[in-house]
Amino acid sequence: MDIFNVPQGNFQLQRFPRRAKEALRAWDAADEYLLQTIAEQQLIQPQPRILLINDSFGALATALAEQRPTVVSDSYLAHQGTFANLQENGIDTNRVTLCDSLSWPDGEFDLVIIKIPKSLAMLEDQLHRLRPRLNQQTKIIASAMCKQIHSSTLKLFERIIGPTHTSLAKKKARLVFSQFDQQLKVGESPYPKHYVLEGTEFTLTNHANVFSRESLDIGTRFFLAHLPKNIGKGTIIDLGCGNGVVGLIAAQHNPEATLQFVDESYMAVRSAQEGFLTAFPQREAQFAVMDCLRKIEKASVDTVLNNPPFHQNNVVGDHIARQMFKQSHRALKQGGELWVIGNRHLSYHVKLKKLFGNCEVIATNKKFVILKSVK
Ligand SMILES: C[S@@+](CC[C@H](N)C(=O)[O-])C[C@H]1O[C@@H](n2cnc3c(N)ncnc32)[C@H](O)[C@@H]1O
């Protein structure tokens, strides 16, 4: 296990979900730079109220646990990772308060530490939600690897928080310091955004961190054109639901089916719920934040529909997709079906064939392939 050496102590940290041969660390140089600067500049006052935003696997929360920080994140995996790393280091998990990205804590904070998210939309929404929790004395310090900090990132801080400057780069990471300006007129967050799904009357809700939040993704569009129809009374899970568009069209094609929407992003599940309830106010459905299908009973599901992610945070790879396929196999009844869309070059058919013993090509075009495996 890797040791995270920072002025606050030495901590054993792991990424989440845990993998037997994990090659990647659970923190980056931006976390180290933040914690070194907080110690050097003595930014922690006695009994501070500290807010940590977007801590990936709990590196910051673990190092600052003594100060009882509050953590806001949109990721269920980040919450689970924080919990596991606190436990691993013998730290009482009650020292850290975990909040999801739609239920921020009340009150003002003395120190706000932000890991700048990949999505500018998410940063914009978070800065809007942060503003009422600041006062003139609040210290605001953000960080990311240099390649993730653009002039548009800094403009957002300037526009929504106040005067902003950056530090020198250190190990390819940079810090952003912002000063709260109470006089700024910033208006409301533009999120969630809505659009009408082409060819339908359905309006989709898109909270800031949702995949393809401005318009329908081209892969998803291809998937929608080939979804299963009239499966009868079964359970259909939209796994990695994003704004829930796949489950929504599956519900339309399968009027007797019961839909479940699953994602590890709180904003995704809330978006799916709002969109579905607007489209089908009378229809029952379930909405759950979880890692893949871990909380779903074994052999209980008829159909899983899945457009898997090809990255976790900034790490590209098919490790989450593989987890999703494994979990689907476990959750499906005998004879149940997993439908997957992916880029042709990702070779999902090899993994599915290995797991299910079969894999049929339902449709293909220049870029995408839709596959079906039966348990
Ligand atoms: C490519 S997007 C698909 C979104 C939507 N189904 C569509 O087709 O437009 C993949 C989704 O998987 C979700 N996801 C990533 N890791 C996950 C995990 N471990 N468990 C559940 N969902 C996850 C992401 O948050 C994202 O919403």
Side-chain angles (χ1 to χ4, degrees):
M1 197 183 295
D2 289 321
I3 305 292
F4 183 46
N5 277 312
V6 280
Q8 290 77 6
N10 300 333
F11 305 95
Q12 299 195 328
L13 297 181
Q14 289 192 65
R15 295 173 76 87
F16 201 88
R18 292 190 170 169
R19 294 192 290 166
K21 291 181 193 152
E22 182 61 79
L24 299 168
R25 295 184 320 186
W27 70 90
D28 60 15
D31 291 310
E32 292 170 333
Y33 199 176
L34 271 171
L35 291 167
Q36 275 156 10
T37 305
I38 287 166
E40 276 163 25
Q41 298 192 6
Q42 299 180 352
L43 293 181
I44 295 184
Q45 305 298 322
Q47 309 215 320
R49 279 205 84 202
I50 300 183
L51 182 60
L52 304 178
I53 304 173
N54 308 323
D55 189 11
S56 304
F57 301 102
L60 298 171
T62 304
L64 297 173
E66 216 168 291
Q67 281 74 35
R68 299 186 170 273
T70 301
V71 175
V72 172
S73 162
D74 188 45
S75 165
Y76 173 84
L77 290 174
H79 281 189
Q80 296 293 300
T82 302
F83 200 77
N85 281 321
L86 288 169
Q87 281 185 325
E88 192 69 54
N89 289 279
I91 298 168
D92 180 358
T93 53
N94 288 323
R95 284 184 167 269
V96 175
T97 305
L98 298 174
C99 297
D100 71 63
S101 51
L102 292 157
S103 12
W104 283 53
D106 292 331
E108 292 174 0
F109 286 82
D110 305 308
L111 175 62
V112 176
I113 301 168
I114 308 172
K115 280 301 285 296
I116 296 171
K118 220 171 88 186
S119 146
L120 212 56
M122 182 59 164
L123 179 63
E124 183 176 9
D125 188 63
Q126 290 185 323
L127 295 182
H128 275 284
R129 290 175 191 269
L130 177 60
R131 237 187 109 75
R133 294 166 172 89
L134 304 176
N135 60 44
Q136 297 296 348
Q137 278 69 48
T138 308
K139 300 260 183 289
I140 305 153
I141 172 166
S143 183
M145 301 310 288
C146 296
K147 61 182 180 204
Q148 289 165 250
I149 302 180
H150 311 283
S151 56
S152 52
T153 317
L154 302 177
K155 275 188 196 143
L156 271 187
F157 278 94
E158 295 266 357
R159 180 163 69 73
I160 305 173
I161 303 297
T164 297
H165 68 276
T166 56
S167 70
L168 292 174
K170 205 169 179 179
K171 287 200 209 161
K172 297 188 182 161
R174 203 181 284 285
L175 301 178
V176 175
F177 298 91
S178 207
Q179 175 62 46
F180 177 56
D181 178 353
Q182 206 166 11
Q183 309 306 323
L184 278 183
K185 297 269 173 284
V186 300
E188 300 271 298
S189 169
Y191 299 97
K193 287 190 172 177
H194 301 89
Y195 67 84
V196 176
L197 181 61
E198 59 203 38
T200 75
E201 288 177 355
F202 298 140
T203 298
L204 299 175
T205 299
N206 297 274
H207 283 276
N209 204 30
V210 167
F211 172 78
S212 209
R213 77 193 72 80
E214 301 287 341
S215 61
L216 189 64
D217 168 68
I218 49 165
T220 309
R221 175 180 294 134
F222 187 53
F223 202 21
L224 295 185
H226 296 91
L227 290 177
K229 292 188 175 154
N230 300 316
I231 66 159
K233 280 202 167 147
T235 310
I236 301 178
I237 295 190
D238 179 352
L239 170 57
C241 62
N243 62 16
V245 63
V246 170
L248 197 69
I249 297 303
Q252 187 187 34
H253 289 339
N254 298 280
E256 291 179 281
T258 307
L259 270 293
Q260 288 193 33
F261 294 82
V262 169
D263 205 290
E264 77 93 29
S265 149
Y266 292 90
M267 285 194 171
V269 172
R270 179 72 68 83
S271 302
Q273 185 167 18
E274 291 175 8
F276 187 84
L277 296 180
T278 308
F280 300 106
Q282 308 298 338
R283 207 159 153 180
E284 257 188 55
Q286 273 104 49
F287 305 89
V289 179
M290 69 176 93
D291 175 22
C292 301
L293 296 176
R294 275 178 218 283
K295 294 189 207 160
I296 303 287
E297 201 184 319
K298 199 174 168 192
S300 65
V301 177
D302 295 277
T303 308
V304 176
L305 307 173
N306 183 212
N307 179 6
F310 28 85
H311 60 82
Q312 183 182 17
N313 304 337
N314 295 309
V315 178
V316 176
D318 67 358
H319 58 289
I320 300 283
R322 281 188 276 121
Q323 280 299 315
M324 287 182 160
F325 303 163
K326 265 196 217 154
Q327 294 273 316
S328 298
H329 186 264
R330 193 191 63 85
L332 283 168
K333 293 175 182 166
Q334 210 58 39
E337 298 177 353
L338 168 62
W339 291 58
V340 174
I341 177 149
N343 273 58
R344 288 167 66 117
H345 73 267
L346 290 170
S347 308
Y348 286 156
H349 63 280
V350 179
K351 281 138 201 144
L352 290 169
K353 184 107 195 267
K354 206 165 158 197
L355 201 58
F356 286 78
N358 64 81
C359 181
E360 181 188 339
V361 175
I362 297 289
T364 181
N365 66 15
K366 271 193 191 152
K367 214 167 164 206
F368 298 102
V369 58
I370 299 170
L371 304 165
K372 178 176 93 171
S373 287
V374 183
K375 183 166 169 185

